[in-house]
Amino acid sequence: MKNNIQILQPDDWHVHFREGAMLKVVSHFSARINRRCIAMPNTNTPITESNQAVNYKAEIQNNSKSEDFEILIPCYLTENLDLNDFKEGLKKNIFIGAKLYPNNVTTNSSLGVSKIENIYPALEILEKENKVLLVHGEKIRKDIDIFDREKYFIDQELNKIRDKFKELKIVLEHVSTSYGIDFVKSNNLMGGTITPHHMLLTKKDVFIDDSINPYHFCMPVAKTEKDLIAIRKAACHQNKKFFLGTDSAPHHINHKLKNILSKPGIFSAVSSLELYASIFEEENSLRNLEVFSSINGPKFYNLPVNKKNITLTNEQWLVPEFIEDNNIKIKNFYGGKKLNWKVKN
Ligand code: DOR
Ligand code: ZN
């Protein structure tokens, strides 16, 4: 067994930093490892304009306790977007692309999109500017089972977008089904982010008898063992189109416990790379970790690969159960459990 592994410094292509006091507490956990992060724009006041993105970027960078940490922000798509500002924001690289949240699918998505056709003008601009569409791929309708939301979104919405905007680069975020994996694999100009929790949890870890484990509840919800196996295989063994995106999404435990269903999200930033390393080791594919964590993402986004290296040591450590700071208390994913890999400082 190796004692150390060295890989190019990773990037996290999907993180939630929130704002204010929460942001102060969580941002340095991502900055300790990653050189770049995509900060998701579903803040309490969503980031729909370029001046908000400029300020948000500065807020995260100033609180990250790291000098060489770059924040990339996609514009939150709404049906009433200021298209001139959007286009300028893309041209000036203030926006890395745009994030599509279907209306009311997850945290702070009430300004999200109800009718896909209404954002076609924005998608046209994205395509022309050669920027990326990031997609929360779930369709919500009363008659659609929570476990089928990703499949319905792909069949009824993503397929339409894919057909109409043939040159548009699209990321299916936090792929949660084998159906989603196959869709990404079989389509040009598509990539997918994969979270640690979708490689560790199934619905049995979320829905237990008549209750829900709030700390395992996220959107898209964890699916079946078959799905988990397909996701692991895609990340660890066939990983040309898939890259690291933790979807680390902190919520104060009081909010998590009070109304479980309205606060989906799993906070994994404290042990993110270590979780991925442990999973890749279980899959006997540690040699493929670097391509997933540090190469496929920049290649997809057409950005340079990082230059520095980072070292993981084969050393057991206990993930703390909670992060408590500044009147904020967050439950860590995998908190109270041991991991065999640790990032060397
Ligand atoms: O579980 C989730 N939490 N999924 C998302 O898509 C958003 C995130 C959040 O912002 O809390
Ligand atoms: Zn997310």
Side-chain angles (χ1 to χ4, degrees):
M1 164 98 52
K2 276 194 185 170
N3 285 332
N4 279 332
I5 45 173
Q6 224 189 35
I7 57 170
L8 287 168
Q9 192 178 7
D11 306 293
D12 188 340
W13 301 98
H14 186 139
V15 199
H16 299 266
F17 291 109
R18 312 303 188 203
E19 50 229 306
M22 177 66 92
L23 183 150
K24 280 194 169 58
V25 173
V26 300
S27 52
H28 69 96
F29 290 110
S30 297
R32 91 197 154 105
I33 290 177
N34 302 289
R35 209 196 65 76
R36 291 169 292 210
C37 285
I38 289 191
M40 284 297 159
N42 65 329
T43 36
N44 289 332
T45 307
I47 313 284
T48 57
E49 291 169 12
S50 56
N51 66 328
Q52 290 174 286
V54 171
N55 294 337
Y56 191 45
K57 211 176 270 198
E59 188 185 359
I60 301 168
Q61 267 157 354
N62 293 340
N63 282 289
S64 68
K65 301 177 191 162
S66 170
E67 302 215 321
D68 190 22
F69 184 50
E70 194 182 337
I71 293 300
L72 307 160
I73 302 183
C75 178
Y76 182 117
L77 288 171
T78 72
E79 290 172 31
N80 313 306
L81 210 58
D82 174 344
L83 292 177
N84 286 326
D85 178 72
F86 178 57
K87 191 169 169 183
E88 280 308 298
L90 293 169
K91 278 191 188 296
K92 291 181 184 153
N93 285 324
I94 294 170
F95 293 128
I96 187 168
K99 175 81 188 264
L100 165 56
Y101 287 103
N103 189 256
N104 286 329
V105 281
T106 187
T107 310
N108 295 338
S109 57
S110 62
L111 296 185
V113 176
S114 299
K115 192 162 185 273
I116 292 285
E117 285 77 4
N118 289 343
I119 58 156
Y120 279 0
L123 300 187
E124 225 165 84
I125 295 172
L126 259 190
E127 188 179 41
K128 271 204 192 112
E129 296 301 325
N130 198 19
K131 292 288 201 281
V132 176
L133 174 68
L134 298 79
V135 175
H136 183 115
E138 289 197 284
K139 184 162 176 94
I140 297 223
R141 223 174 46 202
K142 278 215 176 82
D143 60 319
I144 298 177
D145 190 284
I146 188 172
F147 299 107
D148 295 331
R149 286 175 180 175
E150 189 166 283
K151 180 184 182 305
Y152 271 86
F153 184 87
I154 290 170
D155 288 346
Q156 300 190 355
E157 314 284 357
L158 193 50
N159 252 322
K160 275 196 295 202
I161 299 176
R162 185 63 296 164
D163 281 353
K164 186 158 173 65
F165 300 95
K166 297 220 166 13
E167 307 293 316
L168 182 62
K169 280 188 181 175
I170 305 176
V171 179
L172 181 60
E173 298 291 337
H174 37 57
V175 184
S176 71
T177 56
S178 71
Y179 196 80
I181 294 290
D182 289 342
F183 187 80
V184 171
K185 284 203 301 204
S186 63
N187 271 269
N188 272 343
L189 298 178
M190 283 219 55
T193 50
I194 292 181
T195 74
H197 48 271
H198 287 108
M199 293 196 281
L200 287 164
L201 303 176
T202 67
K203 59 186 180 180
K204 287 187 193 150
D205 301 299
V206 187
F207 302 98
I208 301 154
D209 299 326
D210 285 339
S211 67
I212 297 179
N213 180 337
Y215 304 117
H216 287 168
F217 182 66
C218 65
M219 287 297 169
V221 78
K223 308 285 190 308
T224 65
E225 196 175 346
K226 171 178 164 273
D227 294 304
L228 176 140
I229 291 167
I231 297 166
R232 279 185 169 229
K233 194 169 162 200
C236 301
H237 302 292
Q238 311 167 329
N239 59 350
K240 286 266 151 33
K241 300 185 76 159
F242 299 94
F243 38 91
L244 189 157
T246 57
D247 198 13
S248 180
H251 293 279
H252 195 294
I253 59 161
N254 293 348
H255 299 158
K256 267 284 196 193
L257 297 170
K258 213 162 82 191
N259 198 344
I260 301 173
L261 294 179
S262 70
K263 296 290 176 194
I266 290 178
F267 179 60
S268 59
V270 172
S271 62
S272 57
L273 189 62
E274 290 91 343
L275 282 165
Y276 284 113
S278 303
I279 295 163
F280 274 68
E281 183 176 43
E282 278 175 13
E283 292 290 323
N284 213 354
S285 63
L286 264 176
R287 69 193 172 282
N288 293 336
L289 177 64
E290 182 181 56
V291 77
F292 174 78
S293 68
S294 319
I295 294 173
N296 291 345
K299 270 198 179 161
F300 187 87
Y301 278 95
N302 211 5
L303 292 168
V305 166
N306 293 326
K307 293 199 174 68
K308 282 190 201 151
N309 285 309
I310 190 168
T311 303
L312 285 143
T313 59
N314 194 211
E315 146 196 343
Q316 215 178 52
W317 65 293
L318 184 71
V319 180
E321 188 110 32
F322 299 101
I323 294 300
E324 276 189 88
D325 195 359
N326 217 357
N327 286 328
I328 283 186
K329 186 170 180 182
I330 316 159
K331 173 88 163 85
N332 285 322
F333 182 56
Y334 230 69
K337 291 190 190 161
K338 286 180 182 154
L339 283 170
N340 289 332
W341 291 96
K342 183 95 191 79
V343 172
K344 215 168 163 177
N345 291 320

